[in-house]
Amino acid sequence: MTTTTTERRAAVRETAPLLSVRDLTVTFQRHGEEPFRAVDGVSFDVRPGETVGLVGESGCGKSVTSLAIMRLLPKRGNKVTGTVNFEGTDLLSLSDAKMRDRRGRDIAMVFQDPLSSLNPVVPLGVQVAEVLERHRGMSRKAAMPVAAELLKRVGIPDPVRRLRDYPHQLSGGMRQRALIAIAVACAPRLLIADEPTTALDVTIQAQILALLKELVEDTGTALIMITHDLGVVAGLCDEVNVLYGGRIVERGDRHPLFRDPRHPYTNGLLASIPRLDAAGERLTPIPGSVADNLPWDHACAFAPRCSQPIEICTQVTPQLEVADGRALRCHNPVTSGWSGPSAGQTEGDVAR
Amino acid sequence: MSDSPKPTNPNPTNPIARYREARKERIDSLAQLSARDRVAVGAGAGGPGSDWTPSPDEVSVTESGTIEEKPGVSLWRSAWLRLRRNPVFLLGLTITIIFVLVAIFAPWIAPKDPVTGYLIDQVRRQTNPVPGPQPGFPLGGDHLGRDLLSRLIVGSRQTLIVGVLATFGGFIGGLILGTLAGALGGWVDSLVMRLVDVMLSIPSLVLALSIGAVASRPSQWTLIIAIAVVQVPIFARLLRGSLLAQRSSDHVLAAQALGIKRGPIIFRHMLPNAMGPVIVQATLALAVAIIDAAALSFIGLGDPDQRTPEWGAMLGQAQTYIYDHPHLAYYPAICIIVVALGFTLMGESLREALDPKTRR
Ligand SMILES: Nc1ncnc2c1ncn2[C@@H]1O[C@H](COP(=O)(O)OP(=O)(O)OP(=O)(O)O)[C@@H](O)[C@H]1O
Ligand SMILES: [Mg+2]
């Protein structure tokens, strides 16, 4: 399995990126307050068919990154700079109307809370049909059977009857399936899933992840998986970007990254995942919280919480350095390979 | 920006300013009902007017992964379950239903014809201007010998028609202005809201009075228009606030993420979900419209045709005989008060049932 994955990865890496984010910076400015950079020079690529993870704690800028890519941040009170290149066009400089045509057709999004992301007063079928009408120019009548087909595709039983149901009549897992059906209705080339499983209970989480994985493999859609849970990433992502304080601190392919995390933050995140083979061992959460962050301007934001800070960490901003397919922003990386389970085991233990 | 629901000056000394602020605050608090529970209670950072999008941490999901209060359709259903056992609501509902039935079937319920002066030969201008109760005329007659009971019953029609049409007119006007402001934003919003705020700062009866007085020939329609105009800014401000709360909701964001165009976003995703507070307001507005209509008729700005019975006009005519025959004033006054109370009780308990803050 590992060989095929490696080969597939090598092939994927050759292809030109589908989405290429460069120096994306989002600054929030609310009156009478200091400007706040929620996303600070983030760059990454997503190739066709690839699944890329954006991982980090709450507040590190994951959702803001995805909303900036979709151009869905509020019109006022923030400034977005950098480029978001999607198949050769910079999304950030498209007109509003052109961007609207692309949303849902080329790039779609699945949100965290499936109940509040569905319109409570519109039947499910109409909500699925609406996207088809919008981007495929279908009539309501023609769209309905397609909508039923889509609901069936995402594993909703008795889809024809479900078309007339309202969101509150479905279970949480069903609702998330329905949202996924709506998102993939027009076969977008990129799907952004912002913590799609956080609001669901554990067994349903696994089912939804399996569904996403299946869809990605069948349709060749690229996926940006946003999560604070490395366990979710373990079973799904080809490449993982670890975010801290609005910046990428480490990036690598899933297996090498899990086998050999170099950034103390990544290492800390891995150490805080419950593992089946480590029953009895204590989990070691990362001490402190984001409130302890130093400003990136002349320090490493993570330094106060780091397990192995050195003097320079509080004086000089570490740069993102790339070597052997691994990008790392750290003055004092973890050296000895972390003696955890191999990535294969992690996948088996955590994601299923 | 006129966005923020908090008063610009918390304690204005000017009574008119205080009146205006109190009125606005009440409307805005009603508008927040359309926001989901957690938007109304959770997001301390911003009311419906701010650009703040609540971060997903604020999503109140219980440990078991279920969401406590379900919004939308089931919000109405859970409100109904609470209302069904609320005696205040039931009282209001009963009064309203009786009133509406009486008004609709008035010509068949009324024992006598309301315009015929049956007792006119008993009327003595000096000694006995108002015939008293007698067999066939349980409440007696009026100064023209017409049956008082029948006039009261048939008068309910006028009250219902004026109340409903005026509220409907106000609702339509408010819907248009509020949707323009809440959905388009920008300078349209500023312009509309300035206008609405100016209108709100004039006490409603004074405004209705001036509109009614401007009309060259007062009629039932000038009455309806005057009262409708007074309701427009209330509905407009309410709907705008309610739409702003919708604009920052998750499902509108999700619809935007699908590239849905502005029109459907407004009419399919925002407006239907913003209607809750408007329905509550419409119930309360009916009570106000009924009282305003009575007040305007009382001072003679209503339908000049004295034959059609109208409670406010009946009250006005009773003034002449108020010392010797106060019952002539009591009956229409009681009718007005009871009916207005019925709508108010219903509207207030509806508001309470839908308001997450007063719940539990
Ligand atoms: N509209 C806004 N105005 C001001 N600040 C904002 C706004 N939206 C987000 N932020 C700030 O940006 C930062 C990043 O928020 P973001 O929602 O991207 O976090 P996240 O990584 O998605 O976290 P979570 O795991 O909780 O979803 C936070 O500190 C948040 O307070
Ligand atoms: Mg988020």
Side-chain angles (χ1 to χ4, degrees):
Chain A
M1 176 219 155
T2 319
T3 21
T4 49
T5 320
T6 333
E7 277 164 17
R8 196 166 69 92
R9 282 298 297 155
V12 163
R13 203 171 285 133
E14 291 305 302
T15 51
L18 175 74
L19 178 85
S20 156
V21 177
R22 287 290 168 273
D23 270 328
L24 184 70
T25 302
V26 181
T27 314
F28 286 106
Q29 169 78 75
R30 281 159 65 81
H31 343 275
E33 280 172 34
E34 287 282 287
F36 170 68
R37 259 175 289 157
V39 177
D40 195 354
V42 165
S43 303
F44 64 94
D45 286 340
V46 182
R47 293 176 189 79
E50 192 182 34
T51 299
V52 170
L54 284 186
V55 187
E57 284 168 309
S58 188
C60 69
K62 306 180 297 284
S63 299
V64 173
T65 305
S66 63
L67 293 175
I69 293 172
M70 293 292 278
R71 299 241 321 249
L72 287 173
L73 287 166
K75 281 227 156 43
R76 279 172 302 169
N78 63 68
K79 197 163 136 253
V80 180
T81 57
T83 57
V84 176
N85 202 305
F86 183 82
E87 294 185 311
T89 20
D90 180 19
L91 297 183
L92 297 185
S93 54
L94 278 182
S95 71
D96 282 354
K98 286 245 170 63
M99 186 64 212
R100 197 152 48 217
D101 288 342
R102 288 183 170 250
R103 286 190 207 122
R105 192 188 66 194
D106 294 341
I107 312 181
M109 211 166 158
V110 177
F111 292 91
Q112 173 174 14
D113 180 355
L115 179 58
S116 65
S117 301
L118 288 164
N119 185 340
V121 301
V122 173
L124 200 55
V126 178
Q127 299 195 49
V128 185
E130 188 179 29
V131 204
L132 296 167
E133 290 165 32
R134 168 71 174 90
H135 294 296
R136 294 264 189 89
M138 289 183 175
S139 67
R140 171 70 52 84
K141 227 172 145 196
M144 277 301 184
V146 183
E149 199 51 46
L150 280 162
L151 292 186
K152 195 169 147 212
R153 175 81 187 74
V154 297
I156 292 180
D158 203 357
V160 178
R161 217 196 52 200
R162 288 295 182 193
L163 289 177
R164 265 176 291 144
D165 279 2
Y166 288 89
H168 73 271
Q169 290 169 295
L170 304 171
S171 69
M174 289 291 168
R175 284 183 210 127
Q176 193 57 290
R177 282 172 194 271
L179 269 187
I180 292 173
I182 295 173
V184 300
C186 297
R189 263 151 305 153
L190 175 66
L191 189 64
I192 303 179
D194 189 351
E195 311 212 19
T197 57
T198 311
L200 305 171
D201 62 44
V202 185
T203 44
I204 312 286
Q205 279 186 7
Q207 291 172 12
I208 295 293
L209 290 178
L211 171 66
L212 281 172
K213 190 170 182 173
E214 191 194 319
L215 283 172
V216 164
E217 279 167 7
D218 290 0
T219 59
T221 302
L223 174 67
I224 297 180
M225 183 76 195
I226 296 179
T227 177
H228 57 250
D229 181 357
L230 271 179
V232 166
V233 168
L236 207 60
C237 298
D238 301 311
E239 187 180 78
V240 180
N241 291 284
V242 181
L243 249 70
Y244 190 84
R247 294 196 184 194
I248 291 181
V249 294
E250 186 165 16
R251 166 179 37 243
D253 282 357
R254 183 223 314 179
H255 291 274
L257 188 87
F258 274 58
R259 205 177 306 123
D260 177 24
R262 307 291 310 280
H263 198 285
Y265 178 61
T266 318
N267 198 11
L269 282 179
L270 280 169
S272 57
I273 306 180
R275 284 172 11 231
L276 294 184
D277 65 335
E281 245 176 69
R282 287 195 52 214
L283 295 176
T284 38
I286 302 171
S289 74
V290 277
D292 304 325
N293 283 3
L294 291 176
W296 279 112
D297 301 332
H298 31 83
C300 169
F302 184 59
R305 301 172 64 192
C306 187
S307 57
Q308 47 184 49
I310 52 175
E311 210 180 329
I312 191 174
C313 294
T314 54
Q315 292 158 359
V316 179
T317 311
Q319 299 302 315
L320 194 67
E321 277 154 26
V322 186
D324 313 328
R326 178 78 67 97
L328 182 65
R329 186 192 293 280
C330 186
H331 290 306
N332 186 23
V334 182
T335 41
S336 58
W338 178 60
S339 59
S342 76
Q345 273 171 302
T346 315
E347 181 182 343
D349 297 343
V350 182
R352 294 299 159 107
Chain B
M1 281 309 306
S2 56
D3 270 356
S4 77
K6 58 180 182 295
T8 34
N9 176 359
N11 230 338
T13 38
N14 180 344
I16 293 186
R18 207 180 312 140
Y19 167 83
R20 184 179 58 217
E21 289 309 330
R23 235 172 136 190
K24 282 196 213 164
E25 212 168 296
R26 195 183 146 75
I27 296 171
D28 290 333
S29 75
L30 193 58
Q32 289 196 15
L33 297 190
S34 92
R36 299 289 169 69
D37 292 5
R38 62 167 198 282
V39 181
V41 186
S50 76
D51 284 329
W52 181 269
T53 318
S55 90
D57 308 332
E58 283 154 358
V59 174
S60 54
V61 179
T62 61
E63 254 107 22
S64 60
T66 56
I67 291 163
E68 284 286 50
E69 280 284 343
K70 292 175 185 163
V73 180
S74 54
L75 181 72
W76 284 100
R77 186 173 303 155
S78 67
W80 167 242
L81 292 180
R82 268 188 299 274
L83 284 175
R84 218 171 45 180
R85 274 172 281 130
N86 180 352
V88 176
F89 175 77
L90 292 179
L91 179 65
L93 188 69
T94 312
I95 294 174
T96 306
I97 288 176
I98 292 175
F99 164 67
V100 171
L101 288 180
V102 165
I104 290 172
F105 297 107
W108 296 279
I109 296 173
K112 297 268 178 337
D113 178 48
V115 293
T116 314
Y118 296 102
L119 305 175
I120 192 73
D121 33 327
Q122 294 181 22
V123 175
R124 301 283 173 276
R125 192 162 283 270
Q126 298 306 321
T127 54
N128 182 29
V130 178
Q134 50 201 280
F137 302 88
L139 302 182
D142 68 359
H143 64 292
L144 293 176
R146 298 173 296 196
D147 179 30
L148 194 58
L149 179 64
S150 300
R151 285 186 75 72
L152 284 175
I153 290 173
V154 176
S156 63
R157 269 201 150 178
Q158 220 49 31
T159 305
L160 183 70
I161 290 171
V162 173
V164 167
L165 289 185
T167 304
F168 188 70
F171 169 77
I172 296 292
L175 189 73
I176 293 168
L177 287 184
T179 308
L180 278 177
L184 296 183
W187 65 267
V188 182
D189 185 24
S190 310
L191 188 77
V192 170
M193 289 324 285
R194 278 298 104 75
L195 183 76
V196 161
D197 284 350
V198 168
M199 283 170 81
L200 275 179
S201 63
I202 307 170
S204 60
L205 202 55
V206 175
L207 185 59
L209 206 79
S210 16
I211 296 167
V214 165
S216 52
R217 268 187 307 133
S219 73
Q220 194 183 338
W221 289 104
T222 57
L223 192 68
I224 290 172
I225 290 168
I227 298 166
V229 168
V230 171
Q231 309 270 13
V232 166
I234 302 176
F235 279 110
R237 192 176 169 94
L238 183 65
L239 199 67
R240 171 184 175 271
S242 193
L243 283 173
L244 283 181
Q246 283 299 314
R247 195 153 69 179
S248 58
S249 73
D250 286 1
H251 69 91
V252 168
L253 183 70
Q256 284 168 338
L258 292 168
I260 306 299
K261 289 193 173 157
R262 227 185 208 178
I265 293 240
I266 295 167
F267 292 107
R268 184 179 296 157
H269 295 276
M270 287 165 64
L271 262 184
N273 288 296
M275 288 316 255
V278 180
I279 291 169
V280 173
Q281 176 59 34
T283 321
L284 296 170
L286 265 165
V288 177
I290 286 169
I291 292 179
D292 284 0
L296 293 187
S297 303
F298 176 83
I299 54 174
L301 289 177
D303 194 346
D305 182 355
Q306 291 294 319
R307 283 173 312 169
T308 347
E310 205 281 332
W311 293 345
M314 287 164 77
L315 199 56
Q317 288 150 16
Q319 281 178 103
T320 327
Y321 315 101
I322 193 80
Y323 294 111
D324 299 326
H325 304 279
H327 73 275
L328 225 46
Y330 290 161
Y331 293 126
I334 288 170
C335 289
I336 293 166
I337 291 169
V338 168
V339 169
L341 195 69
F343 282 110
T344 308
L345 292 180
M346 205 166 72
E348 284 294 338
S349 39
L350 202 59
R351 188 178 65 79
E352 228 165 77
L354 286 171
D355 189 346
K357 274 175 267 186
T358 57
R359 230 179 263 167
R360 279 174 284 260

